[in-house]
Amino acid sequence: QVQLVESGGGLVQPGGSLRLSCAASKNIFSINVMGWYRQAPGKQRESVSVVTRSGSTNYADSVKGRFTISRDSAKNTVYLQMNSLKPEDTAVYYCYANFWASDYWGQGTQVTVSS
């Protein structure tokens, strides 16, 4: 199994930046896919960005050019650098991993973008 722990959420003004971290209990190169999803109250959970074991990345259209996903294998950690934040980015952000055809989720970290 994989345990995922998110950190880095908080309150930021529009146009500001945050970096989210997701620490995994497994070597990240043994995990097929890692990434970030988000969910606002009353809304469906949506994919934000994912990275595969090979390094291929994908981004939701709404965050392209503003968010960047990256990895640190020494720390078994995946990051999401979020720049030019907008109020519509406000949500709980969840770390995600797919390992041996099973899905794993972190507990979530709140991101609030407000002036």
Side-chain angles (χ1 to χ4, degrees), residues 3-115:
Q3 293 177 311
L4 305 171
V5 180
E6 305 103 327
S7 63
L11 175 65
V12 65
Q13 295 183 354
S17 298
L18 285 173
R19 189 176 77 162
L20 306 183
S21 299
C22 175
S25 62
K26 299 285 187 181
N27 186 308
I28 61 174
F29 288 107
S30 70
I31 302 172
N32 290 329
V33 178
M34 293 191 69
W36 295 91
Y37 286 66
R38 66 187 181 187
Q39 187 171 27
K43 305 293 184 181
Q44 291 187 321
R45 189 172 298 186
E46 64 177 353
S47 175
V48 177
S49 182
V50 298
V51 59
T52 70
R53 184 167 53 200
S54 67
S56 178
T57 59
N58 290 286
Y59 296 91
D61 288 341
S62 60
V63 307
K64 286 181 179 177
R66 300 189 298 121
F67 292 9
T68 303
I69 192 167
S70 61
R71 303 177 295 179
D72 185 336
S73 60
K75 297 181 179 180
N76 290 329
T77 299
V78 173
Y79 303 95
L80 184 68
Q81 178 67 46
M82 306 186 295
N83 298 326
S84 301
L85 283 162
K86 304 174 180 179
E88 51 262 46
D89 295 318
T90 296
V92 177
Y93 284 69
Y94 296 91
C95 186
Y96 163 83
N98 180 265
F99 180 70
W100 280 86
S102 295
D103 295 334
Y104 298 89
W105 297 93
Q107 294 299 304
T109 184
Q110 177 71 47
V111 172
T112 302
V113 184
S114 177
S115 59

